[in-house]
Amino acid sequence: MASPDGRPGEPAGDVAVAEVTVRNPQGLHLRPATEFARAALQSGCAVRVHYGASEGDGTSVLELAMMAIRPGALLRIEARGTNCARAVADLVALVDRDFKG
Amino acid sequence: MEILTGVPVSPGVAIGRVYLLETEERNVPNRPVAADEVEAEIERLDAALGSARDELSGLVTASGIEGDVSAIFGAHDMVLRDPKLRDDVAATVRDRQVSAEYAVALVFDALVARFEGLEDQYFAQRASDMRDIERRVLRALLGDRRAEIARLEHPVVIVAHDLTPSQTADLDRTRTLGFVTDVGGPTSHTAIIARSIGMPAVVGLGSITSRVADGAHVIVDGNRGQVVVDPDAAQVRRYEQAIVQYERYRRELERVRDYPAETRDGHVIRLMGNIEVPGDVASVMDAGGDGVGLFRTEFLYEEGKPPPTEDDHFDAYVAALRQLAGRPLTIRTFDFGADKVTPDRGAQQEPNPFLGSRSLRLCLERPGLFMPQLRAILRASGYGSVRCLFPMVSGIEELRRAKAMLERARVSLRAEGHYVNERLPVGVMVEIPSAAIVADMLVDDVDFLSIGTNDLVQYALAVDRVNERVAHLYQPAHPALLRLIRTVVRVGADTGRNVSLCGEMAGDVLYTILLVGMGLREFSVPARAIPAVKQVVRSITVEQSREAAEWCASAPGHDEVLARLREALGELVPALV
């Protein structure tokens, strides 16, 4: 796992944070995790996802899937970099509409 | 030092460094890489992740899949793009100095363990997705290495789970010292190719790919079927002597070419060669052969082209006869079917082609295919010593129908004013057990008998020789085979008919003493096997061979016979055992 400070070479600058509750029936399984990671990757920001005591890289489908995020989970999404507020808003919207494109 | 035992399939000894050829199996071997090769390994990893993604998108596009399945592949694609995956594998390559494929296997093992450890069953089941993704990456990584064996940089011993016949044929022969595999048997096509290119080989070693590391020092003993891993100095010395001995033996084979194939007590053995095209006659003559005992005429037929005309046949036969300068040319009529290419394959799919309309049966059904060949054989017989051999005869009716066709060809040629050989010798191939059992009933209708052991063993023991699951049951010296061969030899002796023996068994010097002892005096073997068989013939007496054959006849099992034959061969040709 990467350190909480993020990976080297990560874009510095602004930070945006938001919380959202996962509502789809199976939680953040492989397909929703794929959608999430794809959107996080596209944002160009460094994205961290916090769930209870665990946290992971939002652009890594593997880290997200291994967090075993269940239905009803409260996630804290943190983005760093250019347009990070927009990135966080988009990711929250994605979770809210049950990861549907 | 560790000694592994497998099946010796091609003689000779090789000492060298291992070149590990990984396979698609999950069993990925630990291949260390030097510090200065680490970056190149990471580049291989990136390329492999890229081509795995390309393969995946190609799969989705080509199959036109959508919905759930397409979403699963979308997830796989995201895993392949996952920075965590790439970084973990790269770090493993760097920290542990191992190959990209081994690092991939380690990282996926850890991932799978993490997934399987998750309490939620749905998440735990994602472990199988991880294995699927892993396989795709490994295939991308290993594919390139598999292609490399055609152009090696240093002399190496190839170690692989298995080699396909085409890979064996593509091996860079100047740099390959020998090869060893986890699976395979003595009659697999790979083994046959190894023997034909004279490369020491041991197969069926079980798990050698996971027991040796790339670059390890090994000795391949193709005579005894052993592989010595990390040999000590004494072993290396011993084997270096064996190599010297084997080289001396090879030089002796060079010399023996010009001597007659005669036993020490003066019995002459006729050693003929097998050919596939007229051009092969030269290698039979070079090897010191006494003629052609088997012309496999199927090779006149080219896939996708019309069957050869009468003149195509005639030209080929005359070309072979010219080079033979009076020595015999035994022409086996078309033996299509089963494992050989068939002119109308696909026209009728047979559920069991080995028991179907192949070979002579197919020819009798199709006079348009058969007649031109029979006419050409008769015409060519005016140009040299031709013998006509009918394959796959199961009983007298088939033989008589074939002979009737030959007679029709003769009548029509005579009417057309061609020269016709009235005394063309005709023989049958004894390769179906029924033909061996009733050889005394067939013999009056023929001039000679030729025992074809490959099919005879296969049909008598109900074993497909290329099926590895039953290859261990393919036993040429099975007591039943020895009885069948003895029956035919006795019929020949009683009636004064010539009996010859062809097939892999004839060219394997392990069986020479047994076959001579059983009364055989003519063999047809691949050209390259002629000197070795001749060398054994020249070092035995008929008396001694008879004793060995009698002992073998009373042995109940194939293993006992083989052990005895190996012992006998060891005394005659120490370099081979």
Side-chain angles (χ1 to χ4, degrees), chain B residues 557-574:
Chain B
H558 185 254
D559 292 348
E560 284 108 320
V561 172
L562 279 195
R564 170 70 200 255
L565 292 177
R566 243 178 228 128
E567 188 189 320
L569 186 64
E571 285 163 21
L572 296 168
V573 195

Side-chain angles (χ1 to χ4, degrees), chain B residues 361-375:
Chain B
R361 299 164 182 184
L362 183 74
C363 287
L364 292 174
E365 266 175 30
R366 300 193 41 191
L369 182 70
F370 202 23
M371 216 30 141
Q373 179 167 42
L374 295 177
R375 285 173 53 99

Side-chain angles (χ1 to χ4, degrees), chain A residues 1 7 26-31 34 37-38 41 57 59-70, chain B residues 68 71-72 74-76 78-79 81-85 87 111 114-115 118-120 122-123 126 129-130:
Chain A
M1 285 317 109
R7 296 141 42 85
Q26 283 167 313
L28 207 68
H29 60 88
L30 205 55
R31 268 170 62 189
T34 298
R38 185 177 289 140
L41 211 57
D57 181 347
T59 66
S60 167
V61 63
L62 288 172
E63 290 197 10
L64 290 172
M66 284 190 301
M67 285 163 77
I69 297 167
R70 292 161 185 254
Chain B
D68 285 354
I72 291 168
H76 288 197
M78 275 308 285
V79 172
R81 292 168 69 180
D82 195 319
K84 172 185 163 52
L85 175 70
D87 293 351
L111 278 175
R114 288 274 312 264
F115 274 102
L118 296 174
E119 278 174 32
D120 185 307
Y122 183 82
F123 284 105
R126 303 285 66 78
D129 285 278
M130 295 303 126

Side-chain angles (χ1 to χ4, degrees), chain A residues 49-98:
Chain A
V49 175
H50 301 259
Y51 166 46
S54 61
E55 70 147 318
D57 181 347
T59 66
S60 167
V61 63
L62 288 172
E63 290 197 10
L64 290 172
M66 284 190 301
M67 285 163 77
I69 297 167
R70 292 161 185 254
L74 180 68
L75 304 184
R76 192 160 68 89
I77 303 169
E78 189 184 299
R80 284 169 193 268
T82 318
N83 291 330
C84 58
R86 172 77 189 275
V88 167
D90 286 350
L91 290 168
V92 166
L94 180 69
V95 178
D96 275 341
R97 61 172 189 272
D98 289 354

Side-chain angles (χ1 to χ4, degrees), chain B residues 226 301 341 371 385 478 482 564 573:
Chain B
Q226 290 184 335
Y301 175 82
V341 102
M371 216 30 141
S385 171
H478 186 288
L482 300 188
R564 170 70 200 255
V573 195

Side-chain angles (χ1 to χ4, degrees), chain B residues 11-288:
Chain B
V13 170
I15 304 180
R17 298 273 170 199
V18 167
Y19 184 95
L20 205 46
L21 198 61
E22 296 86 345
T23 65
E24 282 189 27
E25 301 290 306
R26 249 295 296 158
N27 179 3
V28 177
N30 180 358
R31 182 167 65 86
V33 299
D36 60 356
E37 291 167 357
V38 161
E39 290 313 313
E41 278 305 297
I42 293 173
E43 280 168 28
R44 282 183 67 224
L45 168 69
D46 287 334
L49 290 171
S51 61
R53 289 189 61 200
D54 292 345
E55 189 184 298
L56 207 53
S57 73
L59 200 67
V60 173
T61 319
S63 53
I65 47 177
E66 45 191 31
D68 285 354
V69 180
S70 153
I72 291 168
F73 285 140
H76 288 197
D77 183 62
M78 275 308 285
V79 172
L80 291 168
R81 292 168 69 180
D82 195 319
K84 172 185 163 52
L85 175 70
R86 191 267 178 196
D87 293 351
D88 281 1
V89 178
T92 306
V93 170
R94 205 169 277 125
D95 299 345
R96 301 189 47 170
Q97 293 198 4
V98 292
S99 66
E101 52 272 15
Y102 192 63
V104 164
L106 289 176
V107 166
F108 273 91
D109 280 347
L111 278 175
V112 166
R114 288 274 312 264
F115 274 102
E116 283 173 348
L118 296 174
E119 278 174 32
D120 185 307
Q121 269 311 297
Y122 183 82
F123 284 105
Q125 283 164 16
R126 303 285 66 78
S128 68
D129 285 278
M130 295 303 126
R131 287 298 184 208
D132 194 22
I133 298 163
E134 178 191 22
R135 260 197 303 279
R136 203 175 297 284
V137 179
L138 287 178
R139 204 155 48 224
L141 276 169
L142 303 177
D144 58 357
R145 199 163 160 90
R146 292 211 135 210
E148 278 173 24
I149 56 173
R151 38 184 171 82
L152 296 164
E153 285 172 21
H154 313 285
V156 291
V157 170
I158 304 273
V159 176
H161 178 70
D162 196 9
L163 285 167
T164 64
S166 57
Q167 280 176 327
T168 317
D170 282 348
L171 285 179
D172 180 346
R173 291 183 206 175
T174 58
R175 298 275 161 78
T176 306
L177 303 167
F179 70 78
V180 298
T181 60
D182 288 340
V183 299
T187 56
S188 55
H189 285 136
T190 305
I192 291 169
I193 292 166
R195 281 194 290 275
S196 79
I197 61 182
M199 193 176 286
V202 179
V203 302
L205 284 151
S207 58
I208 186 150
T209 46
S210 54
R211 293 168 80 165
V212 299
D214 199 61
H217 201 207
V218 291
I219 298 173
V220 181
D221 180 346
N223 303 327
R224 281 189 293 190
Q226 290 184 335
V227 176
V228 188
V229 183
D230 297 325
D232 58 32
Q235 280 279 28
V236 172
R237 258 198 314 282
R238 225 163 56 77
Y239 274 101
E240 278 169 352
Q241 282 164 7
I243 291 176
V244 170
Q245 194 179 31
Y246 193 73
E247 281 311 309
R248 199 181 300 139
Y249 167 68
R250 285 202 171 170
R251 283 197 300 276
E252 193 183 331
L253 293 188
E254 294 277 313
R255 280 197 303 276
V256 95
R257 276 196 331 207
D258 304 324
Y259 296 125
E262 196 178 302
T263 61
R264 276 168 45 216
D265 47 354
H267 292 261
V268 174
I269 308 293
R270 273 221 291 191
L271 277 185
M272 319 274 272
N274 303 337
I275 66 165
E276 294 176 350
V277 291
D280 292 344
V281 171
S283 52
V284 172
M285 296 293 97
D286 285 349

Side-chain angles (χ1 to χ4, degrees), chain B residues 375-425:
Chain B
R375 285 173 53 99
I377 292 172
L378 282 164
R379 281 171 57 199
S381 68
Y383 294 77
S385 171
V386 174
R387 308 194 289 185
C388 175
L389 179 61
F390 294 125
M392 278 289 287
V393 169
S394 62
I396 195 82
E397 290 82 6
E398 277 172 322
L399 171 60
R400 286 186 176 152
R401 283 183 61 198
K403 285 187 70 180
M405 297 252 310
L406 185 66
E407 194 49 38
R408 264 173 52 202
R410 189 178 271 132
V411 169
S412 64
L413 283 170
R414 209 182 282 134
E416 291 162 32
H418 282 287
Y419 163 82
V420 174
N421 182 354
E422 303 293 344
R423 307 184 65 88
L424 171 73

